[in-house]
Amino acid sequence: MDAELFPRSRTEIAPGAVHLPDWLTAGRQKELLEACRAWARPPAGLRTVRTPGGGTMTSRQVCLGWHWYPYGYASTVVDGDGAPVKEFPAWLGELGRRAARDALGDHTPTEEAPPAAYDYGPAPYDYDIALINFYDADARMGMHRDSDERSDAPVVSLSLGDTCVFRFGNTASRGRPYTDVELRSGDLFVFGGPARLAHHGVPRVHAGTAPPELGLTGRLNITLRVSGLRSV
Ligand SMILES: O=C(O)CCC(=O)C(=O)O
């Protein structure tokens, strides 16, 4: 491992938005990558997302649990091959809960433990959506809010492969103030409470920076969310 001049540590980027570097072990990253490769296969596999204005997103996406399309959720790939969305596995939900707890703390107030600084919604979170975005060297993601869910549970974001610049902004607009955070393979980013509806995006991917032992060219991001929707 590279010796860091300034070791990376837990950082609260904004109230309710926490970056935990190196949260996933190398082994866990490999397992997640293998799972992503399987999920990317058709039916209901990796696709290019078309926006209502006629554009296309440069990152490609596959969904689990609920299928996201601009701008809503469906149980089938309504803007693709029409297949039922792939199942959201229980182990991924458990990983999401652990991630939220590690980043934000156990905020179920008890007599001994005071409530957390912010209201993150009722835990434990029942994660039921994964959006998996694949970025090649030229892919980006514009500033947006995750606002199609009917739940205020924290969003969990896991990164694999190439390092990117993750821009974390504010709830009012796509513009400043924002903070640029370097997300590397294995990093965890969680945003909830007052940050849940903050704008965020990926203005840049640094090609060729993935750990060679992972065996991934490009970047994968796995975003876990609670839909608040009832299964059909
Ligand atoms: O790739 C990332 O780190 C961000 C993904 C994202 O913002 C999203 O899926 O809504």
Side-chain angles (χ1 to χ4, degrees):
M1 210 177 111
D2 291 342
E4 292 280 344
L5 188 53
F6 300 105
R8 303 186 313 146
S9 56
R10 180 188 190 278
T11 310
E12 186 161 3
I13 301 297
V18 173
H19 176 209
L20 279 188
D22 304 315
W23 189 73
L24 293 165
T25 62
R28 201 63 167 138
Q29 291 178 52
K30 263 189 183 297
E31 285 167 12
L32 275 171
L33 173 59
E34 284 320 307
C36 289
R37 286 191 166 128
W39 293 324
R41 290 190 202 111
L46 198 68
R47 79 193 201 292
T48 298
V49 181
R50 288 172 208 292
T51 53
T56 53
M57 286 173 62
T58 51
S59 61
R60 286 181 294 149
Q61 191 176 84
V62 57
C63 308
L64 308 177
W66 285 96
H67 175 78
W68 181 81
Y69 63 97
Y71 294 94
Y73 284 102
S75 55
T76 58
V77 185
V78 285
D79 58 347
D81 65 9
V85 65
K86 288 191 168 90
E87 200 179 307
F88 183 96
W91 62 262
L92 196 52
E94 191 43 48
L95 189 70
R97 276 187 287 280
R98 196 156 60 76
R101 206 169 43 236
D102 283 3
L104 305 175
D106 183 355
H107 41 84
T108 311
T110 63
E111 264 177 43
E112 299 80 46
Y118 314 116
D119 181 9
Y120 293 110
Y125 309 114
D126 202 4
Y127 289 103
D128 61 346
I129 299 171
L131 264 53
I132 297 140
N133 289 296
F134 174 73
Y135 298 78
D136 64 18
D138 300 321
R140 312 267 180 275
M141 190 174 286
M143 293 294 275
H144 65 281
R145 301 188 307 161
D146 296 349
S147 57
D148 295 324
E149 301 76 33
R150 295 187 199 151
S151 160
D152 53 6
V155 173
V156 166
S157 157
L158 298 164
S159 292
L160 298 176
D162 281 344
T163 298
C164 80
V165 176
F166 180 66
R167 183 161 289 172
F168 198 79
N170 63 86
T171 52
S173 81
R174 291 186 170 85
R176 293 177 188 276
Y178 53 68
T179 305
D180 283 348
V181 184
E182 194 180 75
L183 291 185
R184 299 187 198 169
S185 196
D187 284 7
L188 165 66
F189 197 96
V190 179
F191 51 102
R196 174 62 181 79
L197 289 176
H199 290 84
H200 57 278
V202 177
R204 178 132 201 237
V205 173
H206 296 296
T209 52
E213 63 279 10
L214 183 62
L216 173 64
T217 303
R219 172 174 188 263
L220 279 167
N221 176 259
I222 304 170
T223 300
L224 307 180
R225 307 174 183 179
V226 176
S227 71
L229 301 168
R230 251 192 272 153
S231 307
V232 280

